Amino acid sequence: MKILIVDDHQLFVDGMRYLLKKLLVTKEVEEAFRAEDAIRILESGKTFDLVLIDLCMPGMSGLSVLRRMRAQGIYTPVVVVSAEEDITKIHETLTSGASGFIPKTHNGEQMRTAFEAVLAGEVYIPPDIEKRLAGYDARRTLDCGSITRRQREVLRLLAQGYSNKQIAATFYLTEHTVKAHVAALLKATKTSSRTECVHVASSRGLL
């Protein structure tokens, strides 16, 4: 088994090399400390069974390497091993074709589980990150057009306990218009009451 590790920290690369040889039947581990070097190696014709890559490196990012690989038709499984916590960036790596995301805080046994899952053709995402991704997807679904700016403002006042009459007075709207906004919010959050709507919106980070 041949593995390419792409990370700008020598200590991490050394530790990962040791861990891979201990956990997996790894005949060869090659390393690259810059994204540009990784691209050069991958486009040289060398083949690998797995690529492990950090997101944050000087110059080009790990995400750039992943996108370049896919653009060049290189479909070697790529697992991001990173301390990155921004769910937007994690989501971006997975939608760009990564076969998994492993936090650098994972212990050896968790790493083994992740590697085995990816090498078996699965996508590995830790349960806590999977939960955050689900919430992120829900927020994006609502943010991408189903809730207008005015409806978001109405939602904010709903959360503060305002009545339709009070909301209408605040925004100089008719109560009929406010009722329409509230109905749209209930539909978007798939709820049947104002209280439930606020709860769901809050859980999805909309408040």
Side-chain angles (χ1 to χ4, degrees):
M1 181 180 295
K2 296 173 62 178
I3 297 177
L4 174 64
I5 304 174
V6 188
D7 195 290
D8 62 318
H9 291 94
Q10 180 72 62
L11 186 61
F12 176 80
V13 172
D14 291 343
M16 186 59 68
R17 179 193 294 273
Y18 171 80
L19 188 63
L20 287 168
K21 289 186 175 181
K22 183 178 179 181
L23 296 179
L24 304 173
V25 182
T26 308
K27 294 182 179 179
E28 182 181 341
V29 176
E30 193 160 341
E31 58 194 42
F33 297 99
R34 297 168 64 250
E36 293 84 350
D37 294 335
I39 290 173
R40 177 181 52 78
I41 292 170
L42 289 163
E43 294 183 355
S44 70
K46 289 186 178 181
T47 59
F48 296 91
D49 298 291
L50 184 65
V51 176
L52 306 179
I53 189 166
D54 191 11
L55 284 182
C56 301
M57 293 181 288
M60 292 176 66
S61 68
L63 182 58
S64 298
V65 177
L66 177 58
R67 287 175 172 166
R68 176 67 173 260
M69 289 175 65
R70 298 308 183 240
Q72 295 297 318
I74 302 171
Y75 294 104
T76 304
V78 175
V79 174
V80 173
V81 184
S82 176
E84 180 61 67
E85 295 185 355
D86 186 332
I87 200 64
T88 301
K89 291 182 179 178
I90 294 173
H91 179 273
E92 203 169 1
T93 64
L94 293 168
T95 55
S96 294
S99 297
F101 181 90
I102 303 176
K104 285 188 174 180
T105 53
H106 262 23
N107 59 36
E109 193 55 41
Q110 289 172 314
M111 289 278 188
R112 182 202 296 274
T113 299
F115 294 146
E116 288 178 347
V118 171
L119 291 172
E122 302 173 17
V123 174
Y124 177 82
I125 306 171
D128 59 324
I129 291 180
E130 193 167 17
K131 184 176 180 181
R132 290 176 61 203
L133 284 169
Y136 175 79
D137 284 336
R139 289 199 301 275
R140 289 179 76 245
T141 298
L142 292 180
D143 285 342
C144 294
S146 65
I147 289 184
T148 66
R149 180 178 177 181
R150 176 62 79 190
Q151 287 162 4
R152 187 180 288 273
E153 292 171 341
V154 169
L155 177 62
R156 177 173 54 83
L157 295 188
L158 282 180
Q160 295 175 33
Y162 278 50
S163 66
N164 286 355
K165 185 175 182 180
Q166 290 172 317
I167 294 172
T170 300
F171 295 129
Y172 303 100
L173 302 171
T174 65
E175 284 191 57
H176 177 76
T177 298
V178 172
K179 287 180 181 178
H181 285 319
V182 172
L185 287 167
L186 295 178
K187 181 178 179 181
T189 55
K190 298 180 181 178
T191 55
S192 57
S193 71
R194 296 157 71 100
T195 301
E196 188 182 5
C197 174
V198 169
H199 175 72
V200 169
S202 178
S203 70
R204 294 178 179 178
L206 293 171
L207 288 171

Coordinates of all heavy atoms in Angstrom, one line a residue, residues 142 147 151-164 167 181-182 184-207:
L142 N -32.5 26.8 4.1 CA -33.4 27.9 4.4 C -32.9 29.3 3.9 O -33.6 30.1 3.5 CB -33.6 28.0 5.9 CG -34.4 26.8 6.5 CD1 -34.5 27.0 8.0 CD2 -35.8 26.7 5.9
I147 N -36.4 31.9 2.9 CA -36.7 32.9 3.9 C -36.2 34.2 3.4 O -35.0 34.4 3.2 CB -36.1 32.5 5.3 CG1 -36.9 31.3 5.9 CG2 -36.2 33.7 6.2 CD1 -36.4 31.0 7.2
Q151 N -38.8 38.3 6.3 CA -39.2 37.2 7.1 C -38.2 36.9 8.2 O -38.6 36.5 9.3 CB -39.4 35.9 6.2 CG -40.7 36.0 5.4 CD -40.7 35.1 4.2 OE1 -39.8 34.2 4.1 NE2 -41.7 35.2 3.4
R152 N -36.9 37.0 8.0 CA -35.9 36.8 9.0 C -36.1 37.9 10.1 O -35.9 37.6 11.3 CB -34.5 36.9 8.4 CG -33.4 36.6 9.4 CD -32.1 36.7 8.7 NE -31.9 35.6 7.8 CZ -31.3 34.5 8.1 NH1 -31.0 34.2 9.4 NH2 -31.2 33.5 7.2
E153 N -36.5 39.1 9.7 CA -36.7 40.2 10.7 C -37.9 39.8 11.6 O -37.9 40.0 12.8 CB -36.9 41.5 10.0 CG -35.6 42.0 9.4 CD -35.8 43.2 8.5 OE1 -37.0 43.5 8.1 OE2 -34.9 43.9 8.2
V154 N -39.0 39.3 10.9 CA -40.2 38.9 11.6 C -39.8 37.8 12.6 O -40.3 37.7 13.7 CB -41.3 38.5 10.6 CG1 -42.4 37.8 11.3 CG2 -41.8 39.7 9.8
L155 N -39.0 36.8 12.1 CA -38.6 35.7 12.9 C -37.9 36.2 14.2 O -38.1 35.6 15.3 CB -37.7 34.8 12.1 CG -37.1 33.6 12.9 CD1 -38.2 32.6 13.3 CD2 -36.1 32.8 11.9
R156 N -37.1 37.2 14.1 CA -36.3 37.7 15.2 C -37.3 38.3 16.3 O -37.1 38.0 17.5 CB -35.4 38.8 14.7 CG -34.6 39.5 15.9 CD -33.6 40.5 15.3 NE -34.2 41.4 14.3 CZ -34.8 42.5 14.7 NH1 -34.9 42.8 16.0 NH2 -35.3 43.4 13.8
L157 N -38.4 38.9 15.8 CA -39.3 39.5 16.7 C -40.2 38.4 17.3 O -40.7 38.5 18.5 CB -40.2 40.6 16.1 CG -39.4 41.8 15.6 CD1 -40.4 42.9 15.2 CD2 -38.6 42.4 16.8
L158 N -40.5 37.4 16.5 CA -41.3 36.2 17.0 C -40.5 35.6 18.2 O -41.1 35.2 19.2 CB -41.5 35.2 16.0 CG -42.5 35.4 14.9 CD1 -42.5 34.2 13.9 CD2 -43.9 35.5 15.5
A159 N -39.2 35.5 18.1 CA -38.4 34.9 19.1 C -38.4 35.8 20.4 O -38.2 35.3 21.5 CB -37.0 34.8 18.6
Q160 N -38.7 37.0 20.2 CA -38.8 38.0 21.4 C -40.2 38.0 22.0 O -40.4 38.8 22.9 CB -38.3 39.4 21.0 CG -36.8 39.4 20.6 CD -36.4 40.8 20.1 OE1 -36.9 41.8 20.5 NE2 -35.5 40.8 19.1
G161 N -41.1 37.2 21.4 CA -42.4 37.2 21.9 C -43.4 38.2 21.4 O -44.5 38.4 22.0
Y162 N -43.1 38.9 20.4 CA -43.9 39.9 19.8 C -45.2 39.3 19.2 O -45.1 38.2 18.6 CB -43.2 40.7 18.7 CG -42.3 41.8 19.2 CD1 -41.3 41.6 20.2 CD2 -42.4 43.1 18.6 CE1 -40.5 42.6 20.6 CE2 -41.5 44.1 19.0 CZ -40.6 43.8 20.0 OH -39.7 44.8 20.4
S163 N -46.3 40.0 19.3 CA -47.5 39.6 18.7 C -47.5 40.1 17.2 O -46.7 40.9 16.9 CB -48.7 40.2 19.4 OG -48.8 41.6 19.3
N164 N -48.5 39.6 16.4 CA -48.6 40.0 15.1 C -48.8 41.5 15.0 O -48.3 42.2 14.2 CB -49.7 39.3 14.3 CG -49.3 37.9 14.0 OD1 -48.2 37.4 14.2 ND2 -50.3 37.1 13.5
I167 N -45.6 43.3 15.8 CA -44.6 43.2 14.6 C -45.1 44.2 13.5 O -44.2 44.8 12.9 CB -44.6 41.8 14.1 CG1 -44.0 40.8 15.2 CG2 -43.7 41.7 12.8 CD1 -44.1 39.4 14.8
H181 N -46.2 36.4 6.4 CA -44.8 36.1 6.7 C -44.7 35.0 7.7 O -43.8 34.1 7.6 CB -44.1 37.4 7.3 CG -43.8 38.4 6.3 ND1 -43.3 38.1 5.0 CD2 -43.9 39.8 6.3 CE1 -43.1 39.2 4.3 NE2 -43.5 40.3 5.1
V182 N -45.5 35.0 8.8 CA -45.5 33.9 9.8 C -45.8 32.6 9.1 O -45.2 31.6 9.4 CB -46.4 34.3 10.9 CG1 -46.5 33.1 11.9 CG2 -46.0 35.5 11.7
A184 N -45.3 31.7 6.1 CA -44.2 31.3 5.3 C -43.1 30.7 6.1 O -42.4 29.8 5.7 CB -43.6 32.5 4.5
L185 N -42.9 31.3 7.3 CA -41.9 30.8 8.2 C -42.2 29.4 8.7 O -41.3 28.5 8.9 CB -41.7 31.8 9.4 CG -41.0 33.1 9.1 CD1 -41.2 34.1 10.2 CD2 -39.5 32.9 8.8
L186 N -43.5 29.2 9.0 CA -43.9 27.9 9.5 C -43.7 26.8 8.4 O -43.3 25.7 8.7 CB -45.4 27.9 9.9 CG -45.8 28.8 11.1 CD1 -47.3 28.8 11.3 CD2 -45.1 28.3 12.4
K187 N -44.0 27.2 7.2 CA -43.8 26.3 6.1 C -42.3 26.0 5.9 O -41.9 24.8 5.7 CB -44.4 26.9 4.8 CG -44.3 26.0 3.6 CD -44.9 26.6 2.4 CE -44.8 25.7 1.1 NZ -45.4 26.3 -0.1
A188 N -41.5 27.0 5.9 CA -40.0 26.8 5.7 C -39.4 26.0 6.8 O -38.5 25.2 6.5 CB -39.3 28.2 5.6
T189 N -39.9 26.1 8.0 CA -39.3 25.3 9.1 C -40.0 24.0 9.3 O -39.7 23.2 10.2 CB -39.3 26.1 10.4 OG1 -40.6 26.6 10.7 CG2 -38.3 27.3 10.3
K190 N -41.1 23.8 8.5 CA -41.9 22.6 8.6 C -42.5 22.4 10.1 O -42.4 21.3 10.7 CB -41.1 21.4 8.2 CG -40.7 21.4 6.8 CD -39.9 20.2 6.4 CE -39.5 20.3 4.9 NZ -38.6 19.1 4.5
T191 N -43.0 23.5 10.6 CA -43.6 23.5 12.0 C -45.0 24.0 11.9 O -45.5 24.5 10.9 CB -42.8 24.4 12.9 OG1 -42.7 25.7 12.3 CG2 -41.3 23.9 13.1
S192 N -45.7 23.8 13.0 CA -47.1 24.2 13.1 C -47.5 25.2 14.1 O -48.6 25.6 14.2 CB -48.0 22.9 13.3 OG -47.6 22.3 14.6
S193 N -46.5 25.7 14.8 CA -46.7 26.8 15.8 C -45.6 27.8 15.9 O -44.5 27.4 15.4 CB -46.9 26.2 17.2 OG -45.7 25.7 17.7
R194 N -45.9 28.9 16.4 CA -44.8 30.0 16.4 C -43.7 29.5 17.4 O -42.5 29.7 17.0 CB -45.5 31.3 17.0 CG -46.5 31.9 16.0 CD -47.5 32.8 16.8 NE -46.9 34.0 17.2 CZ -47.0 35.2 16.6 NH1 -47.7 35.2 15.5 NH2 -46.4 36.3 17.0
T195 N -44.1 28.9 18.5 CA -43.0 28.5 19.4 C -42.1 27.4 18.8 O -40.9 27.5 19.0 CB -43.7 27.9 20.7 OG1 -44.5 28.9 21.3 CG2 -42.7 27.4 21.7
E196 N -42.7 26.5 18.1 CA -41.9 25.4 17.5 C -41.1 26.0 16.4 O -39.9 25.6 16.2 CB -42.9 24.3 16.9 CG -42.1 23.1 16.4 CD -43.1 22.1 15.8 OE1 -44.3 22.4 15.7 OE2 -42.6 21.0 15.4
C197 N -41.6 26.9 15.7 CA -40.9 27.6 14.6 C -39.6 28.3 15.1 O -38.5 28.1 14.5 CB -41.8 28.6 13.9 SG -40.9 29.6 12.7
V198 N -39.7 29.0 16.2 CA -38.6 29.7 16.8 C -37.6 28.7 17.3 O -36.4 28.9 17.1 CB -39.1 30.6 18.0 CG1 -37.9 31.1 18.8 CG2 -39.9 31.7 17.5
H199 N -38.1 27.6 17.9 CA -37.2 26.5 18.4 C -36.3 25.9 17.3 O -35.1 25.8 17.4 CB -38.0 25.4 19.1 CG -37.1 24.3 19.6 ND1 -36.3 24.4 20.6 CD2 -37.0 23.0 19.1 CE1 -35.6 23.2 20.8 NE2 -36.1 22.4 19.8
V200 N -37.0 25.6 16.2 CA -36.3 25.0 15.0 C -35.3 26.0 14.4 O -34.2 25.6 14.1 CB -37.3 24.5 14.0 CG1 -36.6 24.1 12.7 CG2 -38.1 23.3 14.5
A201 N -35.8 27.2 14.3 CA -34.9 28.2 13.7 C -33.7 28.4 14.5 O -32.6 28.6 14.0 CB -35.7 29.5 13.5
S202 N -33.9 28.4 15.8 CA -32.7 28.6 16.7 C -31.7 27.5 16.6 O -30.5 27.6 16.6 CB -33.2 28.8 18.2 OG -32.2 28.9 19.1
S203 N -32.3 26.2 16.5 CA -31.4 25.0 16.5 C -30.6 25.0 15.2 O -29.6 24.4 15.1 CB -32.2 23.8 16.6 OG -33.1 23.6 15.5
R204 N -31.1 25.7 14.1 CA -30.5 25.7 12.8 C -29.6 27.0 12.7 O -29.0 27.2 11.6 CB -31.5 25.7 11.7 CG -32.3 24.4 11.7 CD -33.3 24.4 10.6 NE -34.0 23.1 10.5 CZ -35.0 22.8 9.7 NH1 -35.4 23.8 8.8 NH2 -35.6 21.7 9.7
G205 N -29.4 27.7 13.8 CA -28.6 28.9 13.7 C -29.1 30.1 13.0 O -28.4 31.0 12.6
L206 N -30.4 30.2 12.9 CA -31.0 31.3 12.1 C -31.4 32.5 13.1 O -31.8 33.5 12.6 CB -32.3 30.8 11.5 CG -32.1 29.8 10.3 CD1 -33.5 29.2 9.8 CD2 -31.4 30.5 9.2
L207 N -31.1 32.3 14.3 CA -31.4 33.4 15.3 C -30.1 33.7 16.0 O -29.3 32.9 16.2 CB -32.5 32.9 16.3 CG -33.9 32.9 15.8 CD1 -34.8 32.2 16.8 CD2 -34.4 34.3 15.4

